[in-house]
Each structure stands twice: as C-alpha cells, then as structure tokens.
Amino acid sequence: KNTKSKNKDIGSTRHIEVSLENTGLTYITADNLAILPENDIDLVNKLLKQLNYNPEDMVEIKGKNSDYKHPFPTPCTIKDIFTKYIDIQGSPRQSLLMHLIPYITDDNQKNWLIDLLSKDRKEEYKAFMKDTFASFSDLICNQLSSISIPLSDLLHILPYMQPRYYTISSSSSEYPNTVHLTIAITEANLNVPSSKGKASKKKFVGLCSGFVNNLVANKDSCRIFIRNSSFRLPTKLTTPITMIGPGTGIAPMRALLQERYYQSLHGPTFEESDQPKLRTRSTSTDLSYTKTKPRSTSKDIIDKHEIGENTLYFGCRNDD
C-alpha cells in the first residue's frame, strides 16, 4: 500500500505498508526496517549505453581464497549489477573522480575535471556539488561523456549500494505481519550547468524514497531486513512517557502510541527478562523482551487497562 499526503502545503510524504508474510521476518515496535533500494532503470540503461556496456552480458567474479566475500551474486548481468548493487546516484567523492581522469579521452573534459578537483578550488567543488546534486551517472552522461573505462576497473572505483534505515511506524502487536513506514519523498528542481557553459533542467529525487514511491501496491516487491532498536516502551503500563519530535519525523511516535493503545485494550505486550539481547540482521529477535500475548481480536477485550499519560511534542514545518 502506498498513500500520499493530501496536504500539498507540507510536502510529499508517503504512508507505506510492507507485507512480511512468507518472509520469516518479525519485528518489535520501534524497530528499524532496512530497505535495499534499486537505481532507476531508465537511468541505468542511459548510463550503460553511455559507457558502451552490454546490459545482458554476464559477469562472474572468482576470489583467490575460499572465504572471499562476493560483492554481489555471481554470475550476474551488468544490468543487475548497476540496478541493485552499484551506487550510481550518490554524490561522488573527490577521490573517486580522481581515479576517472586517466579514462577521459576529451582534453577539454579532462581539464575541466582536473581544474574542479584542484586543491585550491575546494570551495568551488563543494558549491558545484551542492548546486547540481551531481551524481556519478550525471557526470558520465554530461560533463564526462568521453570516458572510456573497462568494467573491471570501474567496479574497483564505484561504491556499493548501502541500505537505508527507517523507523517502523506501526505496532508489532496490532500489525504483526505488516510494517508501516512514514517516508518523506526527497525532491528538488535544479538548473544544472555543464562543462560547455550551458544549463539544463534536472529533477533530483532521493534514491530510496524515489524507489519506494514508484513501487506498485500488491505487485512489486523490495529487498528488506529488520534491525533491532533499543527504543522501547516501559514494561509498566502506568509509567508516563514524553515523546519529543523536533521536526525529525513522526514514525516512532506513531508506533509507540499504537502500541500503548493496544495495551490499553489487551494489557501488557512485553515482560522483562533476564536473558541477554540477541540482535540479528534478518529478524527482530530480542530476548530481553518476551511476548506475553499474541494479537487479540475484539472479542478478547474484557476491560480496559490503565495506561500512563502519553505526551507528544512534535515539530511543525510552518512557523505559525
């Protein structure tokens, strides 16, 4: 499920629901969901064409040692590598761009990059990256279009895709098989200068938020895992809590309030344990908290339980 905020004045925010059915994943309220995003397929195709790589060619990496950790499944198509495993949309470091200089065949483009990366132009470099949001893909398809680099060399230069973490905004007691996310879509309209002095329009969209925003409900899937959090409700229901979100997001507060409402109807959902915590990338197993009840139906509600006062201070994007 992918729902957009109806208020255009507060920016684009999405309510996303991800099904955990048949994944073996579980979570505890206020845990984090890690999403492994994918690069925009049109951008990938454009970049591969610019680099003169065949998207369907297979790549196989063999390590010298038996314990070699492959950076991606092998064999793998070039298209999959650039879609799922290589970061082509992030802002490149200066050290990365330095490695590209020998592969640029056009002298004007090479001199432009050398000048941009010179030690006495650090502020100009920062300003260029800030104003243009230039990614590796942007530079290769525009300012550095004459580059000719073997794939094996490029794989040693480019960084790999990193997971993006979001605090889960749902109660695991109320929604044990579904994860709710509240995600702000990062977007900006830019005028991007080129090495030839011309400016072109560009719409910048955040990698992960853009990926999630384009997922089709009940059709598409995404790669995820759960990361445990130490952010937990008091085990005593009558303990008051104060939540402060100074414009940093409503997700954890929404999850905690859902959990407290569920507790007001069904009683404690966790009890303290002397067992040590176990943290894992693949599930939300946390042995310091033990479930006392599965999710109940309305028929199981006998009477309401006393809950401590819940106070929320939440920042606003509007001054008034």
Side-chain angles (χ1 to χ4, degrees):
K1 184 177 180 180
N2 186 338
T3 305
K4 181 179 180 180
S5 170
K6 295 181 179 180
N7 189 341
K8 296 181 180 180
D9 296 332
I10 63 172
S12 180
T13 302
R14 294 292 191 273
H15 171 78
I16 308 291
E17 297 183 12
V18 181
S19 172
L20 299 180
E21 291 185 4
N22 302 318
T23 66
L25 297 178
T26 61
Y27 74 102
I28 293 176
T29 300
D31 273 348
N32 301 307
L33 183 77
I35 298 179
L36 293 162
E38 296 182 9
N39 292 308
D40 179 77
I41 191 60
D42 292 335
L43 188 65
V44 170
N45 289 333
K46 182 179 179 181
L47 177 62
L48 294 181
K49 183 178 181 180
Q50 185 68 49
L51 292 170
N52 199 27
Y53 296 159
N54 184 347
E56 303 307 321
D57 280 352
M58 300 295 293
V59 174
E60 184 173 4
I61 296 180
K62 296 181 179 180
K64 293 182 178 180
N65 302 319
S66 58
D67 59 348
Y68 173 75
K69 187 176 180 180
H70 291 85
F72 46 79
T74 182
C76 188
T77 64
I78 293 178
K79 185 176 183 178
D80 277 350
I81 293 172
F82 278 77
T83 301
K84 299 178 180 179
Y85 305 108
I86 297 293
D87 185 359
I88 63 172
Q89 293 186 232
S91 180
R93 294 177 178 272
Q94 286 181 282
S95 57
L96 185 155
L97 296 178
M98 288 290 292
H99 287 300
L100 299 181
I101 292 176
Y103 302 98
I104 301 172
T105 60
D106 181 86
D107 289 338
N108 290 330
Q109 293 184 1
K110 181 180 291 187
N111 292 334
W112 174 83
L113 182 58
I114 292 174
D115 184 53
L116 182 66
L117 299 177
S118 60
K119 292 183 179 179
D120 58 347
R121 296 200 61 191
K122 289 184 177 180
E123 293 304 317
E124 287 85 347
Y125 173 82
K126 291 180 181 179
F128 173 80
M129 288 299 176
K130 181 180 179 180
D131 293 341
T132 65
F133 284 74
S135 65
F136 170 81
S137 179
D138 292 329
L139 292 173
I140 297 303
C141 293
N142 294 283
Q143 291 89 346
L144 306 178
S145 59
S146 69
I147 192 169
S148 178
I149 181 171
L151 177 63
S152 57
D153 291 2
L154 189 58
L155 291 180
H156 284 290
I157 296 175
L158 287 178
Y160 290 96
M161 196 89 74
Q162 298 300 315
R164 270 60 171 179
Y165 295 95
Y166 297 93
T167 303
I168 296 172
S169 59
S170 55
S171 159
S172 58
S173 299
E174 184 68 22
Y175 300 99
N177 298 317
T178 306
V179 165
H180 293 185
L181 299 175
T182 305
I183 299 179
I185 307 301
T186 305
E187 295 178 332
N189 293 314
L190 307 168
N191 289 317
V192 182
S194 69
S195 58
K196 298 180 180 180
K198 297 181 180 180
S200 59
K201 293 186 180 296
K202 170 189 173 183
K203 183 177 182 179
F204 172 81
V205 180
L207 171 59
C208 194
S209 63
F211 167 68
V212 171
N213 184 42
N214 289 328
L215 291 175
V216 179
N218 301 316
K219 178 182 178 182
D220 292 338
S221 62
C222 58
R223 297 171 296 159
I224 61 172
F225 61 87
I226 304 294
R227 185 175 69 174
N228 297 133
S229 169
S230 58
F231 197 18
R232 299 288 185 241
L233 284 171
T235 54
K236 189 176 181 181
L237 301 188
T238 55
T239 301
I241 61 172
T242 299
M243 296 164 285
I244 301 176
T248 55
I250 195 66
M253 291 71 172
R254 183 179 186 273
L256 295 176
L257 290 174
Q258 273 189 3
E259 184 74 16
R260 276 234 147 166
Y261 178 71
Y262 182 91
Q263 291 174 340
S264 73
L265 301 177
H266 305 284
T269 50
F270 298 99
E271 61 184 13
E272 289 185 290
S273 171
D274 294 328
Q275 294 175 297
K277 288 185 178 181
L278 173 66
R279 298 189 180 276
T280 170
R281 285 170 60 93
S282 58
T283 81
S284 180
T285 305
D286 186 338
L287 297 182
S288 67
Y289 281 77
T290 304
K291 279 278 189 179
T292 61
K293 297 181 180 181
R295 183 183 179 188
S296 303
T297 65
S298 58
K299 296 180 181 179
D300 298 321
I301 302 174
I302 300 176
D303 54 7
K304 291 188 176 182
H305 297 261
E306 182 182 356
I307 297 292
E309 183 178 10
N310 304 301
T311 305
L312 171 62
Y313 296 95
F314 187 70
C316 181
R317 295 173 183 171
N318 300 320
D319 293 337
D320 56 354

